[in-house]
mmCIF file of all heavy atoms in Angstrom:
data_model
loop_
_atom_site.group_PDB
_atom_site.id
_atom_site.type_symbol
_atom_site.label_atom_id
_atom_site.label_comp_id
_atom_site.label_asym_id
_atom_site.label_seq_id
_atom_site.Cartn_x
_atom_site.Cartn_y
_atom_site.Cartn_z
ATOM 1 N N ASN A 1134 -31.368 -16.783 -10.683
ATOM 2 C CA ASN A 1134 -30.258 -17.118 -9.780
ATOM 3 C C ASN A 1134 -29.382 -18.234 -10.345
ATOM 4 O O ASN A 1134 -29.432 -19.379 -9.909
ATOM 5 C CB ASN A 1134 -30.812 -17.518 -8.404
ATOM 6 C CG ASN A 1134 -31.428 -16.332 -7.702
ATOM 7 O OD1 ASN A 1134 -31.270 -15.203 -8.137
ATOM 8 N ND2 ASN A 1134 -32.136 -16.582 -6.619
ATOM 9 N N GLY A 1144 -25.641 -30.807 -6.840
ATOM 10 C CA GLY A 1144 -25.994 -31.629 -5.677
ATOM 11 C C GLY A 1144 -25.699 -30.981 -4.338
ATOM 12 O O GLY A 1144 -25.707 -31.653 -3.298
ATOM 13 N N ILE A 1147 -27.920 -25.786 -1.253
ATOM 14 C CA ILE A 1147 -27.564 -24.429 -0.842
ATOM 15 C C ILE A 1147 -28.695 -23.734 -0.069
ATOM 16 O O ILE A 1147 -28.424 -23.008 0.896
ATOM 17 C CB ILE A 1147 -27.075 -23.576 -2.055
ATOM 18 C CG1 ILE A 1147 -26.534 -22.209 -1.611
ATOM 19 C CG2 ILE A 1147 -28.123 -23.442 -3.126
ATOM 20 C CD1 ILE A 1147 -25.328 -22.247 -0.715
ATOM 21 N N PHE A 1154 -27.338 -21.792 8.243
ATOM 22 C CA PHE A 1154 -26.334 -20.773 8.579
ATOM 23 C C PHE A 1154 -26.987 -19.592 9.291
ATOM 24 O O PHE A 1154 -26.444 -19.064 10.271
ATOM 25 C CB PHE A 1154 -25.606 -20.323 7.307
ATOM 26 C CG PHE A 1154 -24.378 -19.502 7.582
ATOM 27 C CD1 PHE A 1154 -23.173 -20.109 7.903
ATOM 28 C CD2 PHE A 1154 -24.420 -18.112 7.550
ATOM 29 C CE1 PHE A 1154 -22.039 -19.354 8.179
ATOM 30 C CE2 PHE A 1154 -23.303 -17.347 7.825
ATOM 31 C CZ PHE A 1154 -22.103 -17.981 8.135
ATOM 32 N N ILE A 1160 -27.690 -17.383 17.125
ATOM 33 C CA ILE A 1160 -27.333 -17.850 18.478
ATOM 34 C C ILE A 1160 -26.688 -16.693 19.247
ATOM 35 O O ILE A 1160 -25.785 -16.022 18.740
ATOM 36 C CB ILE A 1160 -26.364 -19.064 18.414
ATOM 37 C CG1 ILE A 1160 -27.028 -20.229 17.671
ATOM 38 C CG2 ILE A 1160 -25.942 -19.511 19.820
ATOM 39 C CD1 ILE A 1160 -26.077 -21.360 17.305
ATOM 40 N N LYS A 1172 -21.025 -28.895 18.981
ATOM 41 C CA LYS A 1172 -20.579 -29.176 17.604
ATOM 42 C C LYS A 1172 -19.214 -29.870 17.607
ATOM 43 O O LYS A 1172 -18.970 -30.774 16.803
ATOM 44 C CB LYS A 1172 -20.488 -27.886 16.776
ATOM 45 C CG LYS A 1172 -21.788 -27.241 16.397
ATOM 46 C CD LYS A 1172 -22.825 -28.159 15.780
ATOM 47 C CE LYS A 1172 -22.435 -28.775 14.472
ATOM 48 N NZ LYS A 1172 -23.497 -29.691 13.956
ATOM 49 N N ASN A 1200 -8.156 -31.073 24.502
ATOM 50 C CA ASN A 1200 -6.722 -30.774 24.332
ATOM 51 C C ASN A 1200 -5.848 -32.017 24.225
ATOM 52 O O ASN A 1200 -4.669 -31.925 23.885
ATOM 53 C CB ASN A 1200 -6.213 -29.883 25.477
ATOM 54 C CG ASN A 1200 -6.762 -28.468 25.367
ATOM 55 O OD1 ASN A 1200 -7.163 -28.046 24.285
ATOM 56 N ND2 ASN A 1200 -6.819 -27.747 26.474
ATOM 57 N N LEU A 1210 -2.109 -36.409 5.958
ATOM 58 C CA LEU A 1210 -3.147 -36.490 4.931
ATOM 59 C C LEU A 1210 -2.611 -36.887 3.557
ATOM 60 O O LEU A 1210 -3.366 -36.980 2.599
ATOM 61 C CB LEU A 1210 -3.870 -35.134 4.831
ATOM 62 C CG LEU A 1210 -4.545 -34.677 6.126
ATOM 63 C CD1 LEU A 1210 -5.053 -33.258 6.005
ATOM 64 C CD2 LEU A 1210 -5.684 -35.617 6.515
ATOM 65 N N ALA A 1273 -14.413 -9.215 -11.441
ATOM 66 C CA ALA A 1273 -13.138 -9.212 -12.167
ATOM 67 C C ALA A 1273 -12.194 -10.097 -11.356
ATOM 68 O O ALA A 1273 -11.874 -9.764 -10.225
ATOM 69 C CB ALA A 1273 -12.595 -7.791 -12.270
ATOM 70 N N ARG A 1286 -11.250 -25.042 -20.234
ATOM 71 C CA ARG A 1286 -12.663 -24.882 -20.614
ATOM 72 C C ARG A 1286 -13.586 -25.012 -19.393
ATOM 73 O O ARG A 1286 -14.584 -24.304 -19.263
ATOM 74 C CB ARG A 1286 -13.061 -25.932 -21.665
ATOM 75 C CG ARG A 1286 -12.417 -25.705 -23.001
ATOM 76 C CD ARG A 1286 -13.120 -24.601 -23.784
ATOM 77 N NE ARG A 1286 -12.191 -23.932 -24.702
ATOM 78 C CZ ARG A 1286 -12.107 -22.636 -24.881
ATOM 79 N NH1 ARG A 1286 -12.847 -21.821 -24.186
ATOM 80 N NH2 ARG A 1286 -11.266 -22.120 -25.740
ATOM 81 N N LEU A 1294 -20.868 -19.282 -15.235
ATOM 82 C CA LEU A 1294 -21.990 -19.564 -14.325
ATOM 83 C C LEU A 1294 -21.915 -18.704 -13.064
ATOM 84 O O LEU A 1294 -22.918 -18.413 -12.432
ATOM 85 C CB LEU A 1294 -22.006 -21.050 -13.943
ATOM 86 C CG LEU A 1294 -22.325 -22.033 -15.084
ATOM 87 C CD1 LEU A 1294 -22.149 -23.469 -14.628
ATOM 88 C CD2 LEU A 1294 -23.742 -21.819 -15.604
ATOM 89 N N VAL A 1333 -1.923 -6.227 -6.580
ATOM 90 C CA VAL A 1333 -0.952 -5.169 -6.221
ATOM 91 C C VAL A 1333 -0.167 -4.730 -7.472
ATOM 92 O O VAL A 1333 0.060 -3.540 -7.694
ATOM 93 C CB VAL A 1333 -0.010 -5.634 -5.080
ATOM 94 C CG1 VAL A 1333 1.178 -4.682 -4.920
ATOM 95 C CG2 VAL A 1333 -0.775 -5.731 -3.761
ATOM 96 N N LEU A 1334 0.223 -5.697 -8.303
ATOM 97 C CA LEU A 1334 0.932 -5.358 -9.548
ATOM 98 C C LEU A 1334 0.064 -4.463 -10.443
ATOM 99 O O LEU A 1334 0.547 -3.496 -11.027
ATOM 100 C CB LEU A 1334 1.259 -6.634 -10.327
ATOM 101 C CG LEU A 1334 2.697 -7.128 -10.293
ATOM 102 C CD1 LEU A 1334 2.888 -8.272 -11.265
ATOM 103 C CD2 LEU A 1334 3.702 -6.028 -10.611
ATOM 104 N N TYR A 1338 0.663 -0.590 -11.688
ATOM 105 C CA TYR A 1338 0.496 -0.193 -13.099
ATOM 106 C C TYR A 1338 -0.361 1.080 -13.160
ATOM 107 O O TYR A 1338 -0.046 2.032 -13.867
ATOM 108 C CB TYR A 1338 -0.155 -1.355 -13.856
ATOM 109 C CG TYR A 1338 -0.724 -1.017 -15.220
ATOM 110 C CD1 TYR A 1338 0.046 -1.147 -16.378
ATOM 111 C CD2 TYR A 1338 -2.055 -0.584 -15.349
ATOM 112 C CE1 TYR A 1338 -0.483 -0.839 -17.626
ATOM 113 C CE2 TYR A 1338 -2.586 -0.266 -16.587
ATOM 114 C CZ TYR A 1338 -1.798 -0.394 -17.726
ATOM 115 O OH TYR A 1338 -2.325 -0.086 -18.957
ATOM 116 N N LEU A 1353 -17.593 -0.283 -9.919
ATOM 117 C CA LEU A 1353 -16.817 -1.041 -8.905
ATOM 118 C C LEU A 1353 -17.163 -0.602 -7.491
ATOM 119 O O LEU A 1353 -17.224 0.600 -7.212
ATOM 120 C CB LEU A 1353 -15.313 -0.841 -9.123
ATOM 121 C CG LEU A 1353 -14.617 -1.701 -10.180
ATOM 122 C CD1 LEU A 1353 -13.177 -1.246 -10.349
ATOM 123 C CD2 LEU A 1353 -14.653 -3.187 -9.831
ATOM 124 N N ASN A 1381 -9.469 -7.764 3.161
ATOM 125 C CA ASN A 1381 -8.488 -8.842 3.292
ATOM 126 C C ASN A 1381 -9.188 -10.131 3.707
ATOM 127 O O ASN A 1381 -9.933 -10.163 4.683
ATOM 128 C CB ASN A 1381 -7.467 -8.435 4.364
ATOM 129 C CG ASN A 1381 -6.149 -9.151 4.191
ATOM 130 O OD1 ASN A 1381 -5.998 -10.002 3.322
ATOM 131 N ND2 ASN A 1381 -5.191 -8.816 5.024
ATOM 132 N N LYS A 1397 -16.128 -3.008 9.940
ATOM 133 C CA LYS A 1397 -15.488 -2.198 10.999
ATOM 134 C C LYS A 1397 -13.970 -2.320 10.943
ATOM 135 O O LYS A 1397 -13.267 -1.933 11.868
ATOM 136 C CB LYS A 1397 -15.969 -2.674 12.373
ATOM 137 C CG LYS A 1397 -17.424 -2.348 12.665
ATOM 138 C CD LYS A 1397 -17.764 -2.815 14.067
ATOM 139 C CE LYS A 1397 -19.220 -2.564 14.387
ATOM 140 N NZ LYS A 1397 -19.631 -3.300 15.589
ATOM 141 N N PHE A 1408 -13.795 -23.975 14.135
ATOM 142 C CA PHE A 1408 -13.289 -23.621 15.460
ATOM 143 C C PHE A 1408 -11.788 -23.397 15.306
ATOM 144 O O PHE A 1408 -11.054 -24.305 14.911
ATOM 145 C CB PHE A 1408 -13.574 -24.737 16.468
ATOM 146 C CG PHE A 1408 -12.927 -24.516 17.816
ATOM 147 C CD1 PHE A 1408 -13.154 -23.344 18.531
ATOM 148 C CD2 PHE A 1408 -12.081 -25.481 18.371
ATOM 149 C CE1 PHE A 1408 -12.547 -23.126 19.767
ATOM 150 C CE2 PHE A 1408 -11.478 -25.270 19.607
ATOM 151 C CZ PHE A 1408 -11.708 -24.097 20.311
ATOM 152 N N VAL A 1409 -11.350 -22.162 15.538
ATOM 153 C CA VAL A 1409 -9.953 -21.781 15.318
ATOM 154 C C VAL A 1409 -9.231 -21.659 16.659
ATOM 155 O O VAL A 1409 -9.675 -20.932 17.545
ATOM 156 C CB VAL A 1409 -9.863 -20.446 14.542
ATOM 157 C CG1 VAL A 1409 -8.413 -20.002 14.388
ATOM 158 C CG2 VAL A 1409 -10.524 -20.594 13.165
ATOM 159 N N GLU A 1424 1.095 -15.080 20.217
ATOM 160 C CA GLU A 1424 1.194 -15.753 18.928
ATOM 161 C C GLU A 1424 1.377 -17.256 19.089
ATOM 162 O O GLU A 1424 1.869 -17.734 20.112
ATOM 163 C CB GLU A 1424 2.327 -15.160 18.085
ATOM 164 C CG GLU A 1424 3.705 -15.616 18.454
ATOM 165 C CD GLU A 1424 4.751 -15.126 17.447
ATOM 166 O OE1 GLU A 1424 4.903 -13.899 17.272
ATOM 167 O OE2 GLU A 1424 5.440 -15.988 16.871
ATOM 168 N N ASN A 1434 -17.823 -31.013 8.423
ATOM 169 C CA ASN A 1434 -17.404 -31.970 7.384
ATOM 170 C C ASN A 1434 -17.385 -33.397 7.920
ATOM 171 O O ASN A 1434 -16.485 -33.793 8.658
ATOM 172 C CB ASN A 1434 -16.018 -31.582 6.853
ATOM 173 C CG ASN A 1434 -15.651 -32.358 5.600
ATOM 174 O OD1 ASN A 1434 -16.364 -33.280 5.186
ATOM 175 N ND2 ASN A 1434 -14.533 -31.994 4.995
ATOM 176 N N ILE A 1444 -2.749 -25.862 10.014
ATOM 177 C CA ILE A 1444 -2.792 -25.369 8.642
ATOM 178 C C ILE A 1444 -1.426 -24.920 8.129
ATOM 179 O O ILE A 1444 -1.195 -24.794 6.941
ATOM 180 C CB ILE A 1444 -3.859 -24.251 8.530
ATOM 181 C CG1 ILE A 1444 -4.164 -23.983 7.073
ATOM 182 C CG2 ILE A 1444 -3.491 -23.012 9.308
ATOM 183 C CD1 ILE A 1444 -5.421 -23.223 6.836
ATOM 184 N N VAL A 1447 1.153 -19.076 11.326
ATOM 185 C CA VAL A 1447 1.338 -18.544 12.676
ATOM 186 C C VAL A 1447 0.483 -17.284 12.787
ATOM 187 O O VAL A 1447 0.479 -16.446 11.887
ATOM 188 C CB VAL A 1447 2.832 -18.189 12.928
ATOM 189 C CG1 VAL A 1447 3.023 -17.576 14.305
ATOM 190 C CG2 VAL A 1447 3.702 -19.432 12.784
ATOM 191 N N LYS A 1453 -9.694 -8.810 22.423
ATOM 192 C CA LYS A 1453 -11.135 -8.557 22.562
ATOM 193 C C LYS A 1453 -11.979 -9.679 21.940
ATOM 194 O O LYS A 1453 -13.205 -9.558 21.828
ATOM 195 C CB LYS A 1453 -11.498 -7.198 21.952
ATOM 196 C CG LYS A 1453 -11.273 -7.089 20.457
ATOM 197 C CD LYS A 1453 -11.590 -5.689 19.948
ATOM 198 C CE LYS A 1453 -11.274 -5.585 18.460
ATOM 199 N NZ LYS A 1453 -11.192 -4.240 17.977
ATOM 200 N N TYR A 1516 14.108 -9.740 -8.526
ATOM 201 C CA TYR A 1516 13.196 -8.596 -8.574
ATOM 202 C C TYR A 1516 12.888 -8.195 -10.016
ATOM 203 O O TYR A 1516 13.690 -8.430 -10.925
ATOM 204 C CB TYR A 1516 13.778 -7.408 -7.786
ATOM 205 C CG TYR A 1516 15.044 -6.804 -8.365
ATOM 206 C CD1 TYR A 1516 15.000 -5.653 -9.152
ATOM 207 C CD2 TYR A 1516 16.297 -7.376 -8.113
ATOM 208 C CE1 TYR A 1516 16.150 -5.094 -9.685
ATOM 209 C CE2 TYR A 1516 17.457 -6.826 -8.647
ATOM 210 C CZ TYR A 1516 17.378 -5.687 -9.433
ATOM 211 O OH TYR A 1516 18.513 -5.138 -9.969
ATOM 212 N N GLU A 1521 18.177 -1.331 -12.801
ATOM 213 C CA GLU A 1521 18.937 -2.114 -11.808
ATOM 214 C C GLU A 1521 18.881 -1.420 -10.443
ATOM 215 O O GLU A 1521 18.801 -0.191 -10.378
ATOM 216 C CB GLU A 1521 20.421 -2.188 -12.219
ATOM 217 C CG GLU A 1521 20.691 -2.995 -13.474
ATOM 218 C CD GLU A 1521 20.844 -4.481 -13.208
ATOM 219 O OE1 GLU A 1521 20.943 -4.892 -12.036
ATOM 220 O OE2 GLU A 1521 20.840 -5.242 -14.207
#
Side-chain angles (χ1 to χ4, degrees):
N1134 292 349
I1147 187 62
F1154 192 82
I1160 300 168
K1172 289 311 297 178
N1200 289 338
L1210 300 172
R1286 291 281 152 224
L1294 293 173
V1333 167
L1334 256 188
Y1338 165 92
L1353 278 174
N1381 204 356
K1397 290 182 182 166
F1408 173 55
V1409 176
E1424 79 172 60
N1434 191 353
I1444 194 164
V1447 177
K1453 64 183 177 196
Y1516 66 99
E1521 292 275 349

